[in-house]
Amino acid sequence: MNTRTAEAPGRVGDVRRRNLALVLGRLGPEAVATRADIAAATGLTKASVSSLVADLLETGLVEELGVTRAGERGRPGVGLSLSARRGALGAEVNVDYLAVGVVDLHGALRFHEIAERLNHGRPTQEVLAELAALTARATQAAGAEGIELLGGGLAVPGLVDPDRGRVLTAPNLGWRGASLGQALDALAPGAPYGVVLTNEANSAALAELWYGRGAELGDYLYISGEVGVGGGLVMGSELFAGPGGNAGEVGHMVVAPGGERCSCGGRGCLETVAGQDAILAAAGIPADAGESAAARIAALASALAAGDARALDAVGRAGGALAVAVVGAARLVDLSAAVLGGHFAALREWIEPALAAALDDLAPGLLAPGAIAFSDLGTTAALRGAAGAALRRALGAPHVLLP
Ligand SMILES: [Zn+2]
């Protein structure tokens, strides 16, 4: 795990560490802030800002733009921005695929690779070894583009203990109490901020906030449709994970009492009606056809487009179950929106009307028109969020990069 961000002794004192992060927080991908702008915004002296910026330039997180502009007062200044030559690796293990990507400090996805794999029941270390081969390719591609990797993030569909690098339970992978240990850091060898372990749906929820439409939606529940159904609550522009880290697990909210058994051991969870396999089974599209999940979802979309009654009924029931969960969550914590990702986004054309009709029936007027959004991030959402977590770690502790 990441050791250098701990309180390692160094030449940078606590106040300077905070001020470095404070100055860095004023910069964005395009913000052509000058040293004078930053001094005015932070209350630091211009001399302090100049000295802090000199350190930040040395870390490589920040770059000077060639352009100058007239300052609001006084002389023109040199513009500063975050550097697109620094980035982080994002990786995801899901039930039916492995995925890796590289996200730079401007938020751009600079590399993406996805490999169809059936990971349920495979040993953790075997899956991570295969993933490491993918991340090595991503690292190489980043290097070829001149991007230095600061760290990485790994998203898995389960409950995690990020401090110990442990997957507590991931029922759809069949993993329980798995310590990832060295295999986690091996995904981004030598990266100064190490590799952070995250929950897939929480990462996707944050990716929507950082790189998608989340910022304009207010407080929202993100619902991720995969083989399982995951969720993440974003409130006050932060993830609300609750004291045990399990808040937002909407996939295991009971929406059908007396319904089917769930992978969690419970009964009638949202996942048993709206999970990918549940919808496909209800639609009469067999699971053992040897086809990829994407191909089966495409087959479902064709059946829906052709007006197949069984397929329409399956998706209609999923939309209705989603509405039950969204209404319950919205009533409980006063949400203003919900964002649907994964196969829900892929099936939007059919899910959306079913969901809207059920919301209108169950709780008319509870959510404003337009409050149900569909993610554009596709299968990259979780890995973008995992990489984003690593980037935020760097932006919060830039002193780690100083000698
Ligand atoms: Zn369940």
Side-chain angles (χ1 to χ4, degrees):
M1 291 293 289
N2 146 55
T3 48
R4 290 186 62 193
T5 49
E7 295 303 307
R11 73 173 169 88
V12 188
D14 285 350
V15 173
R16 192 165 179 83
R17 288 181 190 189
R18 277 199 296 277
N19 285 341
L20 284 165
L22 182 67
V23 169
L24 201 48
R26 306 304 306 179
L27 303 177
E30 287 142 36
V32 284
T34 65
R35 288 162 177 77
D37 293 336
I38 294 166
T42 58
L44 296 166
T45 66
K46 284 186 193 175
S48 291
V49 171
S50 289
S51 160
L52 292 161
V53 166
D55 271 1
L56 290 173
L57 288 168
E58 193 182 331
T59 65
L61 298 173
V62 169
E63 60 190 4
E64 288 183 314
L65 300 182
V67 297
T68 59
R69 66 176 178 115
E72 309 236 329
R73 292 180 295 274
R75 295 180 302 143
V78 179
L80 296 162
S81 76
L82 296 178
S83 171
R85 292 195 297 260
R86 293 294 181 277
L89 190 87
E92 180 186 7
V93 174
N94 218 314
V95 182
D96 49 14
Y97 62 86
L98 300 173
V100 296
V102 172
V103 177
D104 69 25
L105 273 178
H106 288 193
L109 184 66
R110 303 282 293 271
F111 176 85
H112 178 229
E113 184 174 355
I114 185 162
E116 305 269 359
R117 291 288 182 282
L118 295 177
N119 293 315
H120 179 85
R122 289 180 72 195
T124 312
Q125 296 299 332
E126 180 187 310
V127 172
L128 288 186
E130 193 176 355
L131 188 62
L134 294 180
T135 60
R137 277 211 289 279
T139 302
Q140 197 170 31
E145 289 205 43
I147 304 168
E148 212 170 283
L149 296 178
L150 298 164
L154 170 63
V156 298
L159 301 179
V160 299
D161 177 350
D163 295 334
R164 291 181 182 76
R166 272 167 67 84
V167 178
L168 301 176
T169 172
N172 288 318
L173 290 174
W175 293 0
R176 194 172 186 85
S179 281
L180 306 188
Q182 306 270 317
L184 190 58
D185 278 336
L187 297 178
Y193 293 89
V195 178
V196 62
L197 180 63
T198 68
N199 168 270
E200 167 258 324
N202 286 347
S203 275
L206 285 169
E208 204 57 45
L209 178 70
W210 296 332
Y211 308 123
R213 302 172 45 205
E216 63 201 61
L217 291 171
D219 298 331
Y220 62 88
L221 174 66
Y222 179 89
I223 309 178
S224 144
E226 305 284 343
V227 170
V229 173
L233 264 178
V234 175
M235 303 177 69
S237 296
E238 285 186 18
L239 184 74
F240 177 79
N246 304 339
E249 275 294 338
V250 65
H252 301 285
M253 276 173 75
V254 176
V255 298
E260 300 290 320
R261 272 279 165 231
C262 181
S263 66
C264 71
R267 186 187 288 283
C269 300
L270 176 61
E271 186 169 307
T272 67
V273 185
Q276 182 180 283
D277 287 356
I279 296 179
L280 288 165
I285 295 169
D288 56 355
E291 278 184 312
S292 70
R296 293 171 66 215
I297 291 292
L300 175 59
S302 299
L304 290 163
D308 180 277
R310 211 171 153 189
L312 288 167
D313 183 58
V315 171
R317 290 201 328 124
L322 283 166
V324 173
V326 167
V327 167
R331 291 281 192 215
L332 192 62
V333 291
D334 195 18
L335 296 176
S336 53
V339 184
L340 279 69
H343 67 256
F344 300 130
L347 298 172
R348 174 179 183 165
E349 189 178 340
W350 299 279
I351 290 272
E352 192 171 25
L355 175 54
L359 283 174
D360 205 36
D361 178 43
L362 296 171
L366 176 64
L367 294 175
I372 302 295
F374 287 79
S375 175
D376 295 324
L377 300 179
T379 51
T380 70
L383 68 87
R384 282 185 208 244
L391 293 176
R392 265 145 192 83
R393 202 180 234 192
L395 294 176
H399 66 273
V400 167
L401 300 172
L402 292 170

Coordinates of all heavy atoms in Angstrom, one line a residue, residues 191-248:
A191 N 4.7 3.5 -8.5 CA 4.0 4.7 -8.5 C 4.0 5.3 -7.1 O 3.7 4.6 -6.2 CB 2.5 4.4 -9.0
P192 N 4.3 6.6 -7.0 CA 4.5 7.2 -5.7 C 3.3 7.2 -4.8 O 3.5 7.2 -3.6 CB 4.9 8.7 -6.1 CG 4.6 8.9 -7.5 CD 4.6 7.6 -8.1
Y193 N 2.1 7.2 -5.3 CA 0.9 7.2 -4.4 C 0.3 5.8 -4.3 O -0.8 5.7 -3.7 CB -0.1 8.2 -4.9 CG 0.4 9.6 -4.8 CD1 1.1 10.2 -5.8 CD2 0.2 10.3 -3.6 CE1 1.7 11.5 -5.7 CE2 0.7 11.6 -3.5 CZ 1.4 12.2 -4.5 OH 1.9 13.5 -4.4
G194 N 1.0 4.8 -4.8 CA 0.5 3.4 -4.6 C -0.8 3.2 -5.3 O -1.2 3.9 -6.2
V195 N -1.5 2.1 -5.0 CA -2.8 1.7 -5.6 C -3.8 1.6 -4.6 O -3.7 0.9 -3.6 CB -2.6 0.3 -6.4 CG1 -3.9 -0.1 -7.0 CG2 -1.5 0.4 -7.4
V196 N -4.9 2.3 -4.8 CA -6.1 2.3 -3.9 C -7.1 1.3 -4.3 O -7.4 1.1 -5.5 CB -6.6 3.7 -3.7 CG1 -7.1 4.3 -5.1 CG2 -7.7 3.9 -2.7
L197 N -7.7 0.6 -3.3 CA -8.8 -0.4 -3.6 C -10.1 0.3 -3.4 O -10.3 0.9 -2.3 CB -8.6 -1.6 -2.7 CG -9.6 -2.7 -2.8 CD1 -9.5 -3.4 -4.2 CD2 -9.3 -3.8 -1.7
T198 N -11.0 0.2 -4.3 CA -12.3 0.8 -4.2 C -13.5 -0.1 -4.6 O -13.2 -1.2 -5.2 CB -12.4 2.0 -5.1 OG1 -12.5 1.6 -6.5 CG2 -11.3 3.0 -5.0
N199 N -14.7 0.3 -4.1 CA -15.9 -0.4 -4.6 C -16.3 0.1 -5.9 O -16.3 1.3 -6.2 CB -17.0 -0.2 -3.5 CG -18.3 -0.6 -4.0 OD1 -19.1 0.2 -4.6 ND2 -18.7 -1.8 -3.8
E200 N -16.7 -0.8 -6.8 CA -17.0 -0.5 -8.2 C -18.1 0.5 -8.3 O -17.9 1.5 -9.1 CB -17.3 -1.8 -8.9 CG -17.9 -1.7 -10.3 CD -19.5 -1.9 -10.3 OE1 -20.0 -2.7 -9.5 OE2 -20.1 -1.2 -11.0
A201 N -19.2 0.3 -7.6 CA -20.3 1.3 -7.8 C -20.0 2.6 -7.2 O -20.4 3.7 -7.7 CB -21.6 0.7 -7.2
N202 N -19.3 2.6 -6.1 CA -18.9 3.9 -5.5 C -18.0 4.7 -6.4 O -18.1 5.9 -6.6 CB -18.2 3.7 -4.1 CG -19.1 3.3 -3.0 OD1 -20.4 3.4 -3.2 ND2 -18.6 2.8 -1.9
S203 N -17.0 3.9 -7.0 CA -16.1 4.6 -8.0 C -16.9 5.1 -9.2 O -16.6 6.2 -9.7 CB -15.1 3.6 -8.5 OG -14.0 3.5 -7.6
A204 N -17.8 4.4 -9.7 CA -18.6 4.8 -10.8 C -19.4 6.1 -10.4 O -19.6 7.0 -11.2 CB -19.5 3.7 -11.3
A205 N -20.0 6.0 -9.2 CA -20.8 7.2 -8.7 C -19.9 8.5 -8.7 O -20.3 9.5 -9.1 CB -21.3 6.9 -7.3
L206 N -18.6 8.3 -8.2 CA -17.7 9.5 -8.2 C -17.3 9.9 -9.6 O -17.1 11.1 -9.8 CB -16.6 9.1 -7.3 CG -16.9 9.2 -5.8 CD1 -15.8 8.6 -4.9 CD2 -17.2 10.6 -5.3
A207 N -17.1 8.9 -10.5 CA -16.7 9.2 -11.8 C -17.8 10.1 -12.5 O -17.5 11.1 -13.2 CB -16.5 8.0 -12.7
E208 N -19.0 9.8 -12.1 CA -20.1 10.7 -12.7 C -20.0 12.1 -12.1 O -20.3 13.1 -12.9 CB -21.5 10.0 -12.2 CG -22.6 10.4 -13.1 CD -22.4 10.0 -14.6 OE1 -21.9 8.9 -14.9 OE2 -22.7 10.9 -15.4
L209 N -19.6 12.2 -10.9 CA -19.4 13.6 -10.3 C -18.2 14.3 -10.9 O -18.3 15.5 -11.3 CB -19.2 13.4 -8.8 CG -18.9 14.7 -8.0 CD1 -20.2 15.5 -7.9 CD2 -18.4 14.4 -6.6
W210 N -17.1 13.6 -11.1 CA -15.9 14.2 -11.5 C -15.8 14.4 -13.0 O -15.3 15.4 -13.5 CB -14.7 13.4 -11.0 CG -14.5 13.3 -9.6 CD1 -14.9 14.2 -8.6 CD2 -13.9 12.2 -8.8 NE1 -14.6 13.8 -7.4 CE2 -14.0 12.6 -7.4 CE3 -13.3 11.0 -9.2 CZ2 -13.5 11.7 -6.4 CZ3 -12.9 10.2 -8.1 CH2 -12.9 10.6 -6.8
Y211 N -16.3 13.4 -13.7 CA -16.1 13.4 -15.2 C -17.4 13.3 -16.0 O -17.3 13.2 -17.2 CB -15.2 12.2 -15.6 CG -13.9 12.1 -14.8 CD1 -13.6 11.0 -14.0 CD2 -13.0 13.2 -14.8 CE1 -12.4 10.9 -13.3 CE2 -11.8 13.1 -14.0 CZ -11.5 12.0 -13.3 OH -10.4 11.9 -12.6
G212 N -18.5 13.2 -15.3 CA -19.8 13.1 -16.0 C -20.7 14.3 -15.7 O -20.3 15.4 -15.6
R213 N -22.0 13.9 -15.5 CA -23.0 15.0 -15.3 C -23.4 15.2 -13.9 O -24.3 15.9 -13.5 CB -24.2 14.6 -16.1 CG -23.9 14.4 -17.6 CD -25.1 13.9 -18.3 NE -26.3 14.6 -17.9 CZ -27.5 14.1 -18.0 NH1 -27.7 12.9 -18.5 NH2 -28.6 14.8 -17.6
G214 N -22.7 14.5 -12.9 CA -23.1 14.5 -11.5 C -23.2 15.8 -10.9 O -24.1 16.1 -10.1
A215 N -22.2 16.7 -11.3 CA -22.1 18.0 -10.6 C -23.4 18.8 -10.7 O -23.7 19.6 -9.9 CB -20.9 18.7 -11.1
E216 N -24.1 18.6 -11.9 CA -25.3 19.5 -12.1 C -26.5 18.8 -11.5 O -27.6 19.4 -11.6 CB -25.4 19.7 -13.6 CG -25.6 18.5 -14.4 CD -25.3 18.6 -15.9 OE1 -24.1 18.9 -16.2 OE2 -26.2 18.4 -16.7
L217 N -26.4 17.6 -11.0 CA -27.6 16.9 -10.5 C -27.9 17.1 -9.0 O -29.0 16.7 -8.6 CB -27.5 15.4 -10.8 CG -27.5 15.0 -12.3 CD1 -27.1 13.6 -12.5 CD2 -28.9 15.3 -12.9
G218 N -27.0 17.6 -8.3 CA -27.2 17.8 -6.8 C -26.9 16.4 -6.1 O -26.0 15.7 -6.5
D219 N -27.7 16.1 -5.1 CA -27.5 14.9 -4.4 C -28.2 13.7 -5.2 O -29.4 13.8 -5.5 CB -28.2 14.9 -3.0 CG -27.5 16.1 -2.2 OD1 -26.3 16.3 -2.4 OD2 -28.2 16.6 -1.3
Y220 N -27.4 12.7 -5.4 CA -28.0 11.6 -6.3 C -27.5 10.2 -5.9 O -26.6 10.0 -5.2 CB -27.6 11.8 -7.8 CG -26.1 11.8 -8.1 CD1 -25.5 10.6 -8.4 CD2 -25.4 13.0 -8.1 CE1 -24.1 10.6 -8.7 CE2 -24.0 13.0 -8.4 CZ -23.4 11.8 -8.7 OH -22.1 11.7 -9.0
L221 N -28.3 9.3 -6.3 CA -28.0 7.8 -6.1 C -27.6 7.3 -7.5 O -28.3 7.5 -8.5 CB -29.2 7.1 -5.6 CG -29.1 5.5 -5.6 CD1 -28.1 5.1 -4.5 CD2 -30.5 4.9 -5.3
Y222 N -26.4 6.8 -7.5 CA -25.9 6.1 -8.8 C -26.2 4.7 -8.7 O -26.0 4.0 -7.7 CB -24.4 6.3 -8.9 CG -23.8 5.7 -10.1 CD1 -23.8 6.4 -11.4 CD2 -23.4 4.4 -10.1 CE1 -23.3 5.8 -12.5 CE2 -22.9 3.8 -11.3 CZ -22.9 4.5 -12.4 OH -22.4 3.9 -13.6
I223 N -26.8 4.1 -9.7 CA -27.2 2.7 -9.7 C -26.5 2.0 -10.9 O -26.7 2.4 -12.1 CB -28.7 2.5 -9.8 CG1 -29.5 3.3 -8.8 CG2 -29.0 1.0 -9.7 CD1 -31.0 3.1 -8.9
S224 N -25.6 1.1 -10.6 CA -24.8 0.5 -11.6 C -25.3 -0.9 -11.9 O -25.5 -1.7 -11.1 CB -23.4 0.3 -11.0 OG -22.7 -0.8 -11.4
G225 N -25.7 -1.1 -13.2 CA -26.2 -2.4 -13.6 C -25.1 -3.2 -14.3 O -24.6 -3.0 -15.4
E226 N -24.8 -4.3 -13.5 CA -23.8 -5.3 -14.1 C -24.5 -6.6 -13.8 O -25.7 -6.7 -13.7 CB -22.5 -5.2 -13.3 CG -21.8 -3.8 -13.3 CD -21.2 -3.5 -14.7 OE1 -21.0 -4.4 -15.5 OE2 -20.9 -2.3 -14.9
V227 N -23.7 -7.7 -13.7 CA -24.4 -9.0 -13.2 C -25.0 -8.7 -11.9 O -26.2 -9.1 -11.7 CB -23.3 -10.1 -13.1 CG1 -23.9 -11.3 -12.4 CG2 -22.8 -10.5 -14.5
G228 N -24.3 -8.0 -11.0 CA -24.9 -7.5 -9.8 C -25.4 -6.1 -10.0 O -25.2 -5.5 -11.1
V229 N -26.1 -5.6 -9.0 CA -26.5 -4.2 -9.1 C -25.9 -3.5 -7.9 O -26.1 -3.9 -6.8 CB -28.1 -4.0 -9.0 CG1 -28.5 -2.6 -8.9 CG2 -28.7 -4.7 -10.2
G230 N -25.0 -2.5 -8.2 CA -24.3 -1.7 -7.2 C -24.9 -0.4 -7.1 O -25.7 0.1 -7.9
G231 N -24.5 0.3 -6.0 CA -25.0 1.7 -5.9 C -24.0 2.6 -5.1 O -23.2 2.1 -4.4
G232 N -24.1 3.9 -5.3 CA -23.3 4.8 -4.6 C -24.1 6.1 -4.4 O -24.8 6.6 -5.3
L233 N -24.0 6.6 -3.1 CA -24.8 7.8 -2.8 C -23.8 9.0 -2.8 O -22.8 8.9 -2.1 CB -25.3 7.7 -1.4 CG -26.7 7.3 -1.1 CD1 -27.0 7.2 0.4 CD2 -27.7 8.2 -1.8
V234 N -24.1 10.0 -3.6 CA -23.3 11.2 -3.6 C -24.1 12.4 -3.1 O -25.2 12.7 -3.6 CB -22.8 11.5 -5.1 CG1 -22.0 12.9 -5.1 CG2 -21.9 10.4 -5.5
M235 N -23.7 12.9 -1.9 CA -24.4 13.9 -1.2 C -23.4 15.0 -0.9 O -22.3 14.8 -0.4 CB -25.1 13.4 0.0 CG -26.0 12.2 -0.3 SD -26.8 11.4 1.1 CE -27.8 12.8 1.6
G236 N -23.8 16.3 -1.2 CA -22.9 17.4 -0.9 C -21.6 17.2 -1.7 O -20.5 17.6 -1.2
S237 N -21.7 16.7 -2.9 CA -20.5 16.5 -3.8 C -19.5 15.6 -3.1 O -18.3 15.6 -3.5 CB -19.8 17.8 -4.1 OG -20.7 18.6 -4.9
E238 N -19.9 14.7 -2.2 CA -19.0 13.7 -1.7 C -19.8 12.3 -1.6 O -21.0 12.3 -1.5 CB -18.6 14.1 -0.3 CG -17.6 15.2 -0.3 CD -17.0 15.4 1.1 OE1 -17.2 14.6 2.0 OE2 -16.5 16.5 1.3
L239 N -19.0 11.3 -1.7 CA -19.6 10.0 -1.5 C -20.0 9.8 -0.1 O -19.2 10.0 0.8 CB -18.5 8.9 -1.9 CG -19.0 7.5 -1.9 CD1 -19.9 7.2 -3.1 CD2 -17.9 6.5 -1.8
F240 N -21.2 9.4 0.1 CA -21.7 9.0 1.5 C -21.7 7.5 1.6 O -22.5 6.8 1.0 CB -23.1 9.6 1.8 CG -23.6 9.2 3.1 CD1 -23.1 9.8 4.2 CD2 -24.4 8.1 3.3 CE1 -23.6 9.5 5.5 CE2 -24.9 7.7 4.5 CZ -24.4 8.4 5.7
A241 N -20.6 7.0 2.3 CA -20.5 5.5 2.4 C -21.0 5.0 3.7 O -21.1 3.8 3.9 CB -19.1 5.1 2.1
G242 N -21.3 5.9 4.6 CA -21.8 5.4 5.9 C -20.7 4.9 6.8 O -19.6 4.7 6.4
P243 N -21.0 4.7 8.1 CA -20.0 4.3 9.1 C -19.3 3.0 8.7 O -18.1 2.9 9.0 CB -20.7 4.2 10.4 CG -22.2 4.4 10.1 CD -22.3 4.9 8.7
G244 N -20.0 2.1 8.1 CA -19.4 0.8 7.8 C -19.0 0.7 6.3 O -18.5 -0.3 5.9
G245 N -19.2 1.8 5.6 CA -18.8 1.8 4.2 C -19.8 1.1 3.2 O -19.5 0.9 2.1
N246 N -21.0 0.8 3.8 CA -21.9 0.0 3.0 C -23.1 0.8 2.5 O -24.0 0.2 1.9 CB -22.4 -1.2 3.8 CG -21.3 -2.1 4.3 OD1 -20.2 -2.0 3.8 ND2 -21.6 -2.8 5.4
A247 N -23.2 2.1 2.8 CA -24.3 2.8 2.4 C -24.5 2.9 0.9 O -23.5 2.8 0.1 CB -24.2 4.3 2.9
G248 N -25.7 3.0 0.4 CA -25.9 3.1 -1.1 C -26.0 1.7 -1.8 O -26.0 1.6 -3.0

